[in-house]
Amino acid sequence: MPRLLLVEDESIIRSELRRLLARAGHDVAEAQSVREAEEEHDLASFDLVITDVRLPGAPGTDLIDPCRIRGVPVLVMTSYATVRSAVDAMKRGAVDYLSKPFEHDELLALVERILSRPRPAADVPPAPAARADEGAFEGLIGRSQAMRDVEARLRKVAPTDATVLVLGESGTGKELVAAAIHRMSRRGGRAFVPVNCAAIPEGLIESELFGHERGAFTGATSAHVGLVEAADGGTLFLDEIGELPLPAQARLLRFLQTGEVRHVGSTRSRKVSVRLVAATHRDLAAMVQAGTFRSDLYFRLRVIEVRLPPLRERGEDALALARHFITEGSRKAERPVPALSPDAEKAITSHSWPGNVRELENAIERALILSEGGMISADLLGLEAKEESRGGAPTSLPSDVSLEEYFRRFVLENQDGMTETELAKRLGISRKTLWERRQRMGLLRSK
């Protein structure tokens, strides 16, 4: 059972997260401060340390160095008000960070992803150069011809420093491909910094990426390093790059041309060595024609293109992925591995999977929770028919619409004709998750 140390000074939040992690099968210890964590616990005995940034006394980021010496990964929790501290944390060696507020399943998925990675020897960085690519394609399950073509291209591209543009519908695994490129490159022992461009407010995106000086804008009380600098020596992954506003596009283009980063509010530049991998589900060429994406940046990004096929074009890969998710989910829950019934196999192979691999993973997770015997039947997968749903909302997700926008449209178009329970069921989520997303997105139901 993985051992986790949770460092959080708010007792209500700490208790809630401890119960959540314990229910997921983890042995969780607690601390309220950095001092308590170091004095009352042996840091080397943990598989992962999860810490808030703002703590009484020393900040949570002070745990990164002692944990790194012991080979223990550190996950930093922060909020938009303190997200710039997370940039410094990544620079110092944090394995990842999570912005508050976050959903419970988001935390659990990130924890599982971190724990599934090989743990490096204490204070010894992994070999950065040529190494066997065992595990390089971790998460890229399937042997269809389409996926074999993708893997063949990755093997050619990864050892270079070329910029890569990963294209594909939402849920096809673009971040997994970016991580595979990083692992197989000579930079594999350095930082891999993923950034979702759509998740950062437009007014903060430039300072988040490129850093800022003290006094550069209201609220900039100190200078901070940007995410580009945090990836120095490693790989920067810009997901949903089509959402990048034009001013940030101009700064990114200059960085790609010069290899230099200039903080917002500064007149001096600094050289950094960063390999860029970008991804989008949008048609960038069409955006160039529409004037919403710079043509010069587009051509800089598409040095090498990797196109990920949608799940509906991968044949029997859907079944292979389903069995993989069943095995992994059962292992984590410490339950016997159920089989797929013939009708469930037929449902999986015949479904169009508009949400791709992410939708399949969610369907399997739901089926594992609801299954009681040693068999998963088709009805437990909760797959919708291909016809239009009640209220006129489409069951498929257009390739140019993000999952968040799809959620927004579905809720607004159907909330007058459905109860919260019905909405949650149609979306394949719990009422609690529906409520939390409503709060976050400002989609409050009118009384």
Side-chain angles (χ1 to χ4, degrees), residues 368-406:
L368 286 172
I369 293 171
L370 297 176
S371 64
E372 296 179 352
M375 187 76 68
I376 291 178
S377 57
D379 62 302
L380 295 181
L381 296 171
L383 302 181
E384 297 289 349
K386 293 183 180 179
E387 294 80 21
E388 284 196 343
S389 65
R390 172 183 164 187
T395 57
S396 63
L397 185 66
S399 61
D400 62 343
V401 176
S402 67
L403 288 175
E404 186 166 285
E405 178 61 22
Y406 178 77

Side-chain angles (χ1 to χ4, degrees), residues 339-387:
L340 286 167
S341 68
D343 65 325
E345 291 187 355
K346 182 178 179 180
I348 288 171
T349 55
S350 61
H351 189 62
S352 61
W353 298 112
N356 292 294
V357 179
R358 187 183 298 123
E359 181 188 358
L360 173 60
E361 184 175 11
N362 291 340
I364 294 300
E365 181 180 2
R366 176 169 52 246
L368 286 172
I369 293 171
L370 297 176
S371 64
E372 296 179 352
M375 187 76 68
I376 291 178
S377 57
D379 62 302
L380 295 181
L381 296 171
L383 302 181
E384 297 289 349
K386 293 183 180 179
E387 294 80 21

Side-chain angles (χ1 to χ4, degrees), residues 291-311:
T292 56
F293 201 86
R294 295 180 62 111
S295 60
D296 43 8
L297 176 58
Y298 173 58
F299 293 119
R300 279 275 179 177
L301 291 175
R302 64 187 298 263
V303 176
I304 299 290
E305 281 188 356
V306 176
R307 291 185 175 272
L308 292 186
L311 187 54

Side-chain angles (χ1 to χ4, degrees), residues 5 44 57 71 90 162 224 240 264 266 377 409 424:
L5 175 61
M90 296 292 290
H224 284 277
E240 299 298 350
V264 175
S266 174
S377 57
R409 290 186 189 180

